[in-house]
Amino acid sequence: MSYNFKPTPHNMTASRPIDYQKELNPAQYEAVTTLKGPVLVIAGAGSGKTRTLVYRLAYLVEEQGVPPKAILLLTFTRKAAGEMLGRAAHLIARPLGQVMGGTFHGVCYLWLRQYGERLGYPGGGFTVLDRTDQGDLLHLLKDRLGLKNLPAPFPRKETLGEILGAMVNKDLSLDGVLARDYPQFLEHRLHLARMAEAYQEEKRRHHLLDYDDLLLEGRRLLTEHEEVRRQLSERYQYVMVDEYQDTNRLQAELVRLLAYTHANVMAVGDDSQSIYSFRGANFRNIMDFPLLFPGTRIIKLEENYRSTQPILNLANGIIAEAREKYTKCLFTRKKEGIRPRLFKTASENEQSRLVVAQVQELKKQGVPLSQMAVLFRAAYHSFDLEIELVRAGLPFMKFGGFKFMESAHIKDLLAHLRVVANPRDAMSWTRLLLLVPGVGRQTCGKFTSQIKGDFTLEKALEWLRRQRRPAGLKEVADLLARLQEPSQTLMSRMNLALTYYEPLAKARYDDSPKRLKDLEHLLTITARYRELRSFLNDLTLEPPTSLADVAAPTHDYLTLSTIHSAKGLEWEAVFIIWAAEGRFPAFYSQEGEEEMEEERRLMYVAATRTRSYLAVIFPHIGYNRYLGMSINSPSRFIAYLPHSLLEPWTVKVEER
C-alpha cells in the first residue's frame, strides 16, 4: 500500500525591518491594521491566528506608537501570552514587558490586589486557595456538617470542587449542574446546597478566594465600582482576546466591561472549533459578539498554511452543514495531495490492525512516528488499538484519559477473572478483596497467607464462605464460583463480573458513569476471544512504559489522543477511528441540538489536524452490552459527503 507521501514544510520565519503588507496575507493584514472599534477575527484552522496577534502587537507599538502599557492581551495560558509577547518583542527588537498579558484569572488577581479594599479586603488582603487547599476546606466542612456517614455515596472533596466550579463557569444552578453532569448525586442535592452555602460563608469569614472567585470578584469590582471600571478601561486602550470561542459567559462579560470608555476590542477565535462546553465555554459568546459590540468589523482568515486542499475540502464539507456558523471556506496554495479516505473494517480489531499496518507503511516511507496521530472521540475507543500497538512493538503515548491497562477500574474488574485463571495470584486477590466493603489489609493478609503451591480456587471459596463478616465475602465467593463454571463463555463471565462490580464502582468512583462506559467497551474487545487465558495474556503483554514518563520531543512515538486534547496540534498523518454513529457522535449527544452541533465541530477539529494524509475509519460490526452484536453505520458527519471529498474504501486485513 503506497500513499505517494511527501512531507510538507510548515515552519515560517519573519525578517526585519517589517514589511507588514508583504509578510501577511490580505486578511491578516486587515486584522493587524484595523485598530479602532470592535473587531472579530474568525480564524479558520491553520490560518495563522497566532502570527496575526503577534504582528498586531508589533504594529501597535512600532508603527502606531502605542505605549505597551496601554495594551491588554488575554489568553488561556500564561505560556501562550509569554510566547506571543516574546515573538512580538523579537520582531521589533524592543522589550514588551509593560504589555499586560496573561489569563483572565491572572489579570483579575492583579486588579483585586490593587483595588481589593473596595470589596472588603483591607489592604488588598486575601488568600487564594489552590485545588489542594480548596479540597481540604471542603473536607473540613463535610465533617462539620455531619455528612461523612451518609448512606449513599457522597461526592469526594475533589468532585465537590468540580461541582462548585461548574456552577460558576457554566452559569448554572446547583440543580442544573447535578442534572446535567452528576445525576448520581441528585439524591444529595439538599446536603450539597448546605455544603455550598457553608463553603461560601467560610470563605467570606476568612477572606479566602478560590480560583473561580477571581473571576467573580473581578466582575463585581468592575460592575459595582464605576470609577475602577473607567480607570481600567482608560488604562487598556487596546484589548485583544485569544481563543474567544473558549470563553465562558463570565469572561465575555469582563471583556465587555473593559470596553467601558472605548470599543477597541479584538476577539480572535473560530466558531467551528468551539468544543469545550464541558469546561464552561459558551458557543454563543463568539456568535453574539457583534450584538454585544455594535458595529463589529468581521474579518475572516481563510487561507490555511497547514493542510493540502483535499484535506480542506473535506473539512469545509463537514462544517458546511452546521446549523449556525460564520460561513468560511478554507483554502491553501498546496493544491495537490492525497484525497482523505473512509475505511470500513469488519470489526474493531480489524480497525486496529488496519491502523497498525498503515502506520508501519508510512514509517517505511520515511514518516516518523512522531508525525502520526490516532484521534478518537472518547478515551476508551483506543483500548483495542493499544493492545495491537503493544503486540506490534510500536511505542505510543496517550493523551486524554488513561492508558487501557493503567486504569484502576479496568484492573479492578480483571482481578476477578485473573484469580479464576490463576488462583495463586495474590496481587489480584488483594485488589478484589479490598473492593469488598468492610475488608481491610488485615483480612487480606490472613487470606493471602494461605496461598501456597497447592492452593486452589475451591480452597479460596471455602475460606471466604467460612467468614462471618463482612457479608460481601460470601457474595464475591458466589461470583467466583459462577465464573469458574465450564459452561460459561468468556463473554458471559465478563458480563457477570461487570454486573457484580457496577455497584462497587458507583460507590468507589465519583466519575463512575464514565468508568462504566470504559468497562462496557471492554466487552467489545472480549467478543473476539474465546478463551480466558489468551484474553488475559494479550492484556498483560509488556507495555511500552519506557516512554510513559518521558515527554521529550526527541523520542519517536505514535500519538494517541482524544480530539479535545489534540486541538491546536498538527501531524503529517492522522487516523480518526470509531467514526460511527453512536460513538462519534456519541449516543448521549443526540438528546440535544446544541450537543450534536458541538460533535460536528469536533469532527471538523479532528479533520484539520493533519497536513498530508487523513484516514477516517469505522468498524462495520460492533458489540453492545445490551444489544449484543450490532451493525455500525458511518458517522452522520461524513456519511453523505460526496466521494470527491472522502474516498470510500472497504478493506480486509490479513488474519494473523
Side-chain angles (χ1 to χ4, degrees):
M1 189 183 297
S2 177
Y3 305 111
N4 300 317
F5 188 91
K6 293 181 181 180
T8 52
H10 57 282
N11 292 324
M12 303 172 70
T13 57
S15 58
R16 290 196 306 267
I18 305 172
D19 184 339
Y20 290 90
Q21 196 157 13
K22 182 179 179 181
E23 295 194 16
L24 301 167
N25 67 40
Q28 290 173 335
Y29 181 74
E30 182 184 0
V32 165
T33 57
T34 302
L35 305 181
K36 297 298 182 182
V39 180
L40 177 61
V41 179
I42 301 299
S47 63
K49 167 183 69 69
T50 301
R51 182 179 180 84
T52 301
L53 283 167
V54 166
Y55 273 76
R56 191 170 197 264
L57 283 166
Y59 186 83
L60 282 168
V61 176
E62 182 187 52
E63 293 292 318
Q64 299 299 308
V66 174
K69 64 182 180 180
I71 302 172
L72 173 63
L73 172 64
L74 291 167
T75 62
F76 276 83
T77 65
R78 290 175 59 189
K79 180 181 177 183
E83 288 179 351
M84 287 184 204
L85 290 171
R87 285 174 58 181
H90 179 72
L91 274 177
I92 61 178
R94 62 171 286 186
L96 292 176
Q98 287 187 307
V99 172
M100 174 62 78
T103 65
F104 283 90
H105 295 84
V107 169
C108 284
Y109 171 83
L110 294 175
W111 294 344
L112 294 174
R113 284 296 183 206
Q114 184 175 357
Y115 301 104
E117 195 156 348
R118 289 172 168 80
L119 299 180
Y121 306 112
F126 56 85
T127 299
V128 178
L129 300 169
D130 61 22
R131 296 301 186 193
T132 301
D133 296 331
Q134 182 192 43
D136 291 343
L137 176 57
L138 289 167
H139 185 73
L140 176 68
L141 294 172
K142 185 177 175 181
D143 285 351
R144 186 182 297 173
L145 295 173
L147 302 176
K148 283 191 69 175
N149 300 312
L150 292 171
F154 192 79
R156 290 172 173 79
K157 58 185 181 181
E158 296 82 7
T159 307
L160 284 169
E162 291 171 5
I163 291 171
L164 295 172
M167 293 170 63
V168 175
N169 293 302
K170 298 183 180 182
D171 194 26
L172 293 171
S173 66
L174 174 60
D175 285 355
V177 170
L178 293 177
R180 177 171 168 170
D181 301 323
Y182 302 92
Q184 65 270 35
F185 300 126
L186 273 169
E187 63 186 291
H188 289 310
R189 54 180 295 276
L190 295 179
H191 296 306
L192 288 169
R194 288 174 58 211
M195 275 287 296
E197 185 178 352
Y199 177 62
Q200 298 301 335
E201 178 58 34
E202 193 74 7
K203 287 188 297 177
R204 279 193 295 269
R205 182 182 300 121
H206 297 288
H207 291 176
L208 304 174
L209 298 178
D210 62 28
Y211 194 60
D212 299 309
D213 288 328
L214 294 173
L215 298 184
L216 288 169
E217 292 294 83
R219 178 180 64 179
R220 186 160 76 93
L221 178 69
L222 297 181
T223 302
E224 296 180 1
H225 298 276
E226 192 269 347
E227 77 283 5
V228 175
R229 181 167 74 251
R230 178 178 297 279
Q231 187 176 344
L232 290 174
S233 180
E234 290 176 346
R235 180 188 304 175
Y236 304 121
Q237 286 293 310
Y238 296 91
V239 178
M240 290 185 282
V241 189
D242 187 25
E243 302 285 12
Y244 192 77
Q245 79 281 348
D246 293 337
T247 56
N248 59 32
R249 288 182 180 176
L250 189 51
Q251 290 162 331
E253 191 170 350
L254 286 168
V255 173
R256 180 184 62 80
L257 291 166
L258 283 170
Y260 183 55
T261 62
H262 60 80
N264 301 331
V265 175
M266 173 180 277
V268 182
D270 184 4
D271 55 300
S272 299
Q273 297 187 71
S274 178
I275 60 173
Y276 294 118
S277 64
F278 68 95
R279 294 181 187 167
N282 192 327
F283 176 71
R284 293 254 48 92
N285 286 352
I286 195 165
M287 299 309 298
D288 294 344
F289 186 89
L291 299 178
L292 198 64
F293 294 94
T296 291
R297 184 170 181 176
I298 298 176
I299 301 170
K300 299 176 184 178
L301 305 185
E302 298 174 289
E303 183 172 358
N304 178 284
Y305 295 93
R306 175 186 301 153
S307 308
T308 60
Q309 193 61 51
I311 302 293
L312 299 181
N313 290 342
L314 175 64
N316 290 333
I318 291 169
I319 208 65
E321 298 302 316
R323 176 175 56 87
E324 188 175 9
K325 61 186 179 295
Y326 288 102
T327 301
K328 57 184 175 295
C329 186
L330 297 178
F331 68 92
T332 180
R333 299 175 193 182
K334 296 181 284 188
K335 301 299 182 184
E336 302 301 320
I338 304 163
R339 199 182 345 162
R341 293 171 178 173
L342 173 64
F343 291 93
K344 180 174 74 172
T345 62
S347 65
E348 178 181 24
N349 186 242
E350 190 172 273
Q351 172 183 252
S352 300
R353 288 185 285 126
L354 172 67
V355 171
V356 168
Q358 292 201 18
V359 166
Q360 290 172 328
E361 178 62 29
L362 288 172
K363 195 167 181 287
K364 286 180 185 177
Q365 296 182 28
V367 186
L369 287 176
S370 60
Q371 283 302 312
M372 291 184 263
V374 182
L375 306 182
F376 31 85
R377 174 64 183 86
Y380 63 81
H381 287 169
S382 71
F383 286 173
D384 188 80
L385 176 60
E386 291 172 47
I387 296 171
E388 290 301 323
L389 289 171
V390 171
R391 188 194 298 277
L394 290 170
F396 66 90
M397 286 189 70
K398 184 174 180 179
F399 301 87
F402 291 105
K403 276 187 179 179
F404 176 48
M405 288 307 297
E406 291 174 357
S407 305
H409 50 295
I410 299 289
K411 292 182 176 180
D412 288 346
L413 184 70
L414 292 179
H416 299 82
L417 298 174
R418 291 187 192 282
V419 298
V420 173
N422 176 18
R424 292 182 293 278
D425 184 347
M427 289 183 63
S428 292
W429 276 115
T430 299
R431 187 174 195 98
L432 72 87
L433 288 174
L434 286 175
L435 292 172
V436 178
V439 172
R441 292 285 176 183
Q442 187 175 0
T443 302
C444 287
K446 288 180 182 178
F447 176 86
T448 56
S449 65
Q450 306 175 80
I451 299 179
K452 298 172 184 175
D454 60 346
F455 190 74
T456 64
L457 187 60
E458 285 69 25
K459 289 182 179 180
L461 299 181
E462 182 183 348
W463 188 93
L464 292 171
R465 285 169 172 152
R466 281 203 313 266
Q467 309 310 304
R468 294 183 178 180
R469 62 179 191 273
L473 291 175
K474 290 184 175 61
E475 188 179 349
V476 75
D478 291 342
L479 168 71
L480 297 174
R482 293 193 65 189
L483 291 179
Q484 72 162 344
E485 292 173 0
S487 61
Q488 297 285 358
T489 65
L490 176 56
M491 183 63 71
S492 64
R493 285 171 171 164
M494 287 292 293
N495 270 307
L496 283 170
L498 184 51
T499 300
Y500 165 81
Y501 179 65
E502 190 167 343
L504 298 177
K506 288 179 178 177
R508 191 176 184 84
Y509 301 111
D510 284 354
D511 60 347
S512 59
K514 179 180 178 182
R515 292 178 186 261
L516 289 170
K517 284 182 182 177
D518 287 359
L519 295 171
E520 287 175 12
H521 189 79
L522 179 59
L523 296 178
T524 303
I525 300 172
T526 310
R528 63 184 170 93
Y529 290 89
R530 294 183 179 178
E531 201 267 322
L532 177 59
R533 290 183 187 277
S534 61
F535 170 66
L536 293 174
N537 285 340
D538 273 7
L539 297 188
T540 52
L541 289 170
E542 186 65 27
T545 53
S546 59
L547 289 178
D549 299 319
V550 182
T554 54
H555 289 271
D556 195 24
Y557 56 81
L558 177 70
T559 293
L560 307 186
S561 178
T562 60
I563 299 166
H564 286 104
S565 297
K567 184 175 174 293
L569 303 177
E570 60 184 71
W571 296 269
E572 288 290 350
V574 166
F575 305 87
I576 304 173
I577 61 172
W578 271 112
E581 279 292 298
R583 302 300 182 99
F584 192 178
F587 275 124
Y588 63 81
S589 66
Q590 299 179 25
E591 298 173 1
E593 192 173 21
E594 290 183 8
E595 289 83 355
M596 187 57 66
E597 287 296 294
E598 183 159 321
E599 293 283 303
R600 179 181 298 280
R601 297 194 292 269
L602 267 173
M603 183 67 81
Y604 171 86
V605 168
T608 54
R609 297 309 94 201
T610 181
R611 293 195 285 270
S612 301
Y613 180 74
L614 177 64
V616 184
I617 313 171
F618 75 100
H620 184 53
I621 303 294
Y623 181 84
N624 182 287
R625 181 185 179 190
Y626 306 101
L627 302 177
M629 304 305 291
S630 58
I631 303 296
N632 293 321
S633 57
S635 168
R636 68 184 64 188
F637 306 134
I638 56 174
Y640 303 108
L641 293 177
H643 295 175
S644 60
L645 299 183
L646 189 61
E647 189 174 4
W649 287 56
T650 301
V651 297
K652 178 66 177 176
V653 180
E654 292 183 9
E655 296 291 339
R656 283 191 297 270

